[in-house]
Each structure stands twice: as structure tokens, then as C-alpha cells.
Amino acid sequence: MTDVRLAARPRALSTGTVSGLWRRIAAARWSYLYVLPMLVLLLAFVIYPIIASLGYTFYRWDGIGEPGDFVGLANFSRVMTDGIFWGALRNTFFYVLLVVPIQLVLALALALVLNNRRLRLRTFYRTLFFLPVVTSAAVVGVVVQLLFSNFGDVVNDVLMSLGLTHEYIDWLGDPNFAMIIIIGVGIWHTLGYNLVYFLAGLQTIPDELYEAARLDGAGAFACFRHITVPLLRSVGVVIVLLSVIGSFQVFDLVQVLTNGGPYFATEVVNSYIYHLAFGGFSGSSVDRDVGLASAASFFYGLLLIVFAVVQALFLRALVRRRGGRA
Amino acid sequence: MTRRAPVMTHVFLLVGGVAWLYPFLWTLGSSLKSTDEFFGRGLDPLPGTPLWSNYAQAWQGASFGQYFLNTLTITVATVLITLLVTAMAGYTLARTEFPGKGLVLVAVAATVFLPHGYTIIPIFDIMDGLGLLNSLWSIIIVQSAGGIVFGTFLFMGYFRAIDRALEDAARVDGANFHQVFWRIMLPLAGPMLATVGLFTAISAWNSFFIPLVFTLARPELRTLGVGMYAFIGENSTDWTLLCAGSVITLAPIIAIFLVLQRFFVNGLAGAVKQ
């Protein structure tokens, strides 16, 4: 509609800018109508709730009725001194620090195998490994829980016969193993995203480069080290960022598999916030506190933004330095 | 990388792939086992004699039929609303100029960077105010709102890349704003409609947190995911029914994905290449 704006401009100059603006608005009335539904949803259900939840952080409120007990910034200082929050933050970092690198290495290895254009059935294989991505984390959690609670002893028998353990492990009831299981399922569930991302990145590398390198006598590893790695770097940065951001949001798996238990051993920040706001902490009776939940959520949101910016700067610097050397 | 793959590669990929999908295969097999078989056969995914009545029981006795209908309604409505709202907004923001457009773009982009507090409580209050708490509409609207930024960005990028000459030619022929959008531009956006539609469908079908919160007091509005979660809490011993419920939840979305996967995979691949 640039034509409309250009046509309106000369008249706007002669009759004053206010009526000119009105004319431009009237001329673009259908544009407003088409953007309006999106804008209403955005304002009412995305932007307003962000602002409103900031308001809750100043109250001690159990979520019933109107918030009335104004406490200023006390909720933020309570979050800072809450051992359960820091424990949940530590568990979340533990989850991210294990899921991201393991998942990325596995996905890249698989992508390198599937990127071979002469490999038959490569789309079929990609679909096999991608499939868990489209399934619900809640249902995956139910199935895994079913497997471990009924047949965890089969694994115990194997481990014992191998002499790896001398006592039966109560998989999801054991603080250490419960977290390991959540991490393992987390890796399995979303690996497909990274597989597809890496395949997309690999396909941007021209085949001629590999052919030329091979003519010069470069082996498979040399090709990987000197062609694949440098050319995959910029896409790789995006993949790492997406993977980290996604992993920090872990909730469904934890809620269904362990509810944060046993004894907060698998409580992550998102399940901690949910339990604060809606009750149901595993094995304890902490009162609902929406103000505290909102404060924790804001603090976590800020932390993640700072973390994402630092990470993006760091990765970009890394790409630039290595890129300059190569 | 263009040498022919050795047989070992295929063996590795096939065995790995089957092992990768083992949890699904075991669930499928176990959904047809009797309770005796379930414990007797353990980790063996194959049932002895398939017991189809598990499905009838899950569908009716355990309310999975109701949950299925709820989930289907939510998914279809969310996809339609999201496609309509984001295609219209994406087209307008990509192809037209209007006072305040910059402000709208800033508002859309800002939501990506603002720290999100615990927004579910104010959203819950708005739904309460609108009197929608006791219907599936609350879940549908919240789900649709959740996907609009992503969808609007995708449609903006798509419409921006379409040749302007098409629109100009239509205008010369006397087409008005609506005709240009509905008759010319929207039909050209087929692949992007499929991509956004599939992303929205998968996220709506699998959504857990939003339906969990909005059905805490209304069991009859539960979706399949929430129903499964509640089922463990209430009837923790009916394992084979739970497996049948899992299959009812997983199968439809896997089937849709298999048919439309190239749109999904291309959409993901496009996201990292930009």
C-alpha cells in the first residue's frame, strides 16, 4: 500500500498534518482490521500477563481472592534465600549441562551418517530418530514411569549379574538415578530437533569441497576437521543456543515422572514455580504462594536472558576468532 | 561423503532405530496384553493373544474417548484460529504500510526478549472475567495466543518473498484489499500454511501445562495428556489401559506427522539457516 501513502502525502501538506494522518489511517483501515486479531491476542494474553505478573511479585498471596498483603520486594529476597529454589536451579543447570552436550554430539554423529547422499532410505532413518520429537512429553513420562516401576528389576538383575551393583536400585525413587533417568529421557525426546538442524547445516556445505579435498589426499577425519567443522560453525552456534534455551524450560517430564521428588532431588525451576503457585510439592506441605512464584519466575526469566546474551556474545567471539585463524 | 554406504551402516541404523523407538513399540504391544501377560512378558513388546478390549475399556470406562474428543476439538480450533490470525497479520505487516506499524512490530518482537513472569495466573483471571473457565475455549484461546508470535514471523517472511508484480497486476484488474489477500496471496501460501498448521497442531495436541492448569477443577475437560497424568494418580494399577491410552494419544499425531513431515522438517531447517 505504498502507493496510497504516496498519494496522500501532498494533500497532507496542504491541509495540516493531523488531518493528513487521519487520511492515512482511514486509507489503511483494512490493514488495521487484519492486524487487530493478532494484536488483541498479543496484548491480552502475552503482554498484559507479563506486566500483571510483575505486580503480583509485590504481594504475599495464596492465589485465592484479591492480593492484599503488600510486601514490597520481600518476595525477591525470599527467593534469593530459599534453599529449595537454589536446589531447583542447581538441578536445572545439571540437566542442561548434561543434556545439551550429549544430545548435540549424538545428533551431529547421526547427521554425518545420514548426510551421505548415496545412503539409501536416509529419509526413513531420519524419520525413525526424529519421531520422539512429535510425541507428548507427558505421555513419554507416563510410559517411562510404567517401564521403570514395573520392570526396573530386570535392569537390576542384569546389573547384578554383571557385578556392577550389589543392591537393587529403586530407579525413580532414588535421588541420583531419578535425575539420570530424566536426563536420559530428555536427550532421547528432543534429539530429533538437533538432528534436523545439523542435517540442514550440512546440506549448505558444497560437495565440491569434499571432492577437492579428497583429490588432495585428505582422509575422512581431515575433511571433518577442516571442512565440516569450520563451515558448520555459524549454524552450530544457533543450534547450541536453541538447545540450551529449550533445555532450561524442562517441566512436563519432571512433573509426570517424579513430581520433583524424591525430596526435591529432581525439582527444576519450572516445577518449583508450578508447585509454589498451585501446590503439590512432592513430600512436603509448603503453602501456595503466587507472589513468591511470580518473583521466582521473574528472577529466573532475567537470569536466562542474561545467560543467553552472555552465551551469544561468547559463541560469536569464538566463531570469529576461530574463523579468522582458519 | 559420496561413497556407497556399507551394509554395516544399515545394520547399525536399523538396530539403533528400532531400539530408539522401543518405548513406543513396547507401549503398542502392551496395550494388547492382559494383566497377566503384562507382568509375564515384561519387556517383550509382543502380546500373546491380542486383547482388543483394552481399547474399548480405555475409550469408555476410563474416559479416554472424552479426552480424545476434547484434545481433537482444541487442536482443530487452535490450528484454524492461529492460521487465520497469523496469516492475516503476517501479510499485512509484510506488504502494507500504515501509521503505527513500527509500534506493532516492536510489540511483537519485545515479547521474545521480555522476561516472562508467572503469566498463567493473570491469564486465568482474564478467562474467569470472560466467563470462559468452564469451557474448552479458555484452552483454545490461550494455546492460539501462545503461537501467534512465531506464526506471524513465519508468514511475514513468506509473504515478503512473494513477487509484488502479482499483487499489482490484481489491483490493476480491480481487485480490492480482501480479494488480493484471500484470492491471490493466501492460496500462494500453501506450504507455509502447512508448516505453521503442523507446528501448531503438534504443540496443541501435546500441550500439557496449559490444559493441566485449566482443567484442575474440571475433569471432564481434560485432554489426553492431562487425562493420562490423572489416570496414574487415580488408578495406578491399570497398566494395560494406560498403555492403550498412550497409543490413543500418540498414534494420531504420529500419523499426521508422517503424512506432512516434509513441511515440518523444512520449517525447522529454515529456522536455523536464516
Side-chain angles (χ1 to χ4, degrees), chain A residues 1-3 5 21 24-25 28 30-35 37-39 41-42 44-50 52-53 56 61 106 110 112-121 123-140 142-143 145-147 149-151 154-155 187-189 191 193 196-197 200-201 203-204 207 210-211 214 220 228 235 238-239 242 251-252 255-256 259 270 273-274 277-278 288 290 293-294 297-298 301-302 305, chain B residues 1-5 9-14 16-24 26-27 38-39 41-43 81 85-86 88-89 91-93 95-100 104 107-108 111 113-123 125-127 130 141-142 144-146 148-149 152 164 171 177-178 181-182 199 202 205-209 212-213 216 224-225 228-229 232 239 242-243 246 249-250 253-254 257-258 261-262 264-265 268-274:
Chain A
M1 298 271 290
T2 35
D3 47 339
R5 198 181 58 174
L21 182 66
R24 275 163 62 204
I25 289 175
W30 298 125
S31 289
Y32 291 105
L33 186 75
Y34 275 44
V35 172
M38 187 277 287
L39 206 55
L41 283 178
L42 187 75
F45 298 104
V46 184
I47 293 179
Y48 163 75
I50 291 176
S53 66
Y56 295 148
W61 181 39
L106 286 176
L110 196 55
L112 287 170
V113 174
L114 293 182
N115 192 43
N116 185 348
R117 223 159 273 178
R118 301 269 296 269
L119 178 72
R120 275 183 223 164
L121 298 173
T123 316
F124 168 74
Y125 291 130
R126 186 192 67 194
T127 306
L128 279 188
F129 288 97
F130 188 77
L131 214 51
V133 165
V134 303
T135 61
S136 132
V139 174
V140 163
V142 168
V143 169
Q145 196 192 36
L146 220 59
L147 276 166
S149 53
N150 290 299
F151 307 112
V154 177
V155 185
I187 292 170
W188 171 82
H189 188 230
L191 182 129
Y193 281 121
V196 168
Y197 293 153
Q203 273 153 24
T204 61
D207 273 348
Y210 290 108
E211 281 157 24
R214 218 169 285 125
T228 314
V235 172
V238 179
I239 299 175
L242 288 175
F251 170 74
D252 301 10
Q255 183 65 17
V256 174
N259 199 25
N270 278 337
I273 295 166
Y274 173 78
F278 292 95
R288 285 183 62 182
V290 172
S294 301
S297 192
F298 253 99
L302 276 177
I305 286 173
Chain B
M1 297 237 165
T2 47
R3 276 162 294 175
R4 181 181 285 277
T9 310
H10 283 283
V11 172
F12 162 78
L13 286 170
L14 261 182
V18 170
W20 196 250
L21 297 184
Y22 170 78
F24 297 141
W26 178 82
T27 310
F38 182 81
F39 288 105
R41 292 190 164 256
L43 294 172
I81 292 175
V85 168
T86 60
M88 283 166 66
Y91 166 73
T92 313
L93 290 171
R95 280 310 181 83
T96 71
E97 296 298 331
F98 55 91
V104 175
V108 174
T111 59
F113 299 105
L114 282 176
H116 291 221
Y118 211 57
T119 54
I120 196 72
I121 305 273
I123 290 173
D125 283 346
I126 295 177
M127 287 303 167
L130 292 172
I141 294 171
V142 177
S144 306
I148 48 168
V149 170
T152 304
R164 243 177 219 285
R171 287 236 173 71
F177 189 93
H178 309 291
F181 176 69
W182 294 100
F199 270 104
I202 290 175
W205 187 273
N206 291 338
S207 171
F208 177 67
F209 177 66
L212 174 71
V213 171
L216 283 174
L224 284 164
M228 295 269 299
Y229 176 63
I232 309 186
W239 302 124
L242 210 49
C243 286
S246 303
T249 312
L250 297 172
I253 204 70
I254 288 179
F257 168 72
L258 290 179
Q261 66 165 314
R262 79 193 158 94
F264 193 81
V265 170
L268 281 180
V272 277
K273 275 194 214 161
Q274 276 169 6

Side-chain angles (χ1 to χ4, degrees), chain A residues 164-223:
Chain A
L164 289 172
T165 174
H166 298 292
E167 51 191 276
Y168 276 83
I169 299 163
D170 176 13
W171 296 102
L172 287 167
D174 181 291
N176 294 318
F177 287 105
M179 198 65 203
I180 298 290
I181 289 170
I182 290 174
I183 287 168
V185 178
I187 292 170
W188 171 82
H189 188 230
T190 49
L191 182 129
Y193 281 121
N194 295 319
L195 173 63
V196 168
Y197 293 153
F198 275 126
L199 278 171
L202 289 173
Q203 273 153 24
T204 61
I205 303 176
D207 273 348
E208 293 80 37
L209 282 177
Y210 290 108
E211 281 157 24
R214 218 169 285 125
L215 283 178
D216 290 344
F221 181 75
C223 284

Side-chain angles (χ1 to χ4, degrees), chain A residues 266-288:
Chain A
T266 59
E267 193 81 81
V268 289
V269 177
N270 278 337
S271 66
Y272 164 84
I273 295 166
Y274 173 78
H275 290 140
L276 268 184
F278 292 95
F281 268 116
S282 134
S284 97
S285 57
V286 179
D287 287 334
R288 285 183 62 182

